[in-house]
Amino acid sequence: MKNRSLVSITDYSKEDYLRIIGLAEEFEKNPVQNILQGKVIATLFFEPSTRTRLSFESAVNKLGGRVIGFSDASSSSVTKGETLKDTIKMVNNYCDLIVMRHPLEGAAGEGELLEGVGDGAHQPDERG
């Protein structure tokens, strides 16, 4: 599973998800770890989502990583006409992983280092 994007629920097998659930159970026993030490995670929120953004940012901080990004699309170059694909390509140069929330269905499929957290009705975000 390492170095594979998770954009759609169909990106992984049942066995992969069972392994992820097992890892999550281990994290519940020791939730504060430094596995993201030295990593930069970009959060790109093209639509309002306070709980989702804060849950991801909090998790990154608890795991020792650093967060960059934006919570308001009006502060991105998309407002100047930059395409979503170009924005993702540019942000990829500054981070190890992108977490993105976008209102357009399928938008999360635009990047290589992308962890989708919701894009309209297509892939709603889920938090446990």
Side-chain angles (χ1 to χ4, degrees), residues 46-89:
F46 290 91
E47 63 179 353
S49 184
T50 304
R51 285 182 301 243
T52 302
R53 182 179 58 83
L54 292 177
S55 74
F56 272 92
E57 290 180 5
S58 174
V60 170
N61 284 300
K62 285 182 180 181
L63 297 174
R66 295 188 57 216
V67 178
I68 63 171
F70 55 83
S71 60
D72 183 354
S74 68
S75 66
S76 77
S77 291
V78 172
T79 60
K80 298 188 298 186
E82 183 175 75
T83 66
L84 177 60
K85 188 172 188 171
D86 285 343
T87 298
I88 291 169
K89 284 173 68 175

Side-chain angles (χ1 to χ4, degrees), residues 15-34:
E15 292 75 23
D16 290 333
Y17 285 112
L18 290 174
R19 183 166 172 253
I20 291 169
I21 291 169
L23 289 171
E25 290 171 345
E26 291 300 315
F27 272 107
E28 285 181 339
K29 295 175 188 171
N30 183 18
V32 180
Q33 302 181 31
N34 284 322

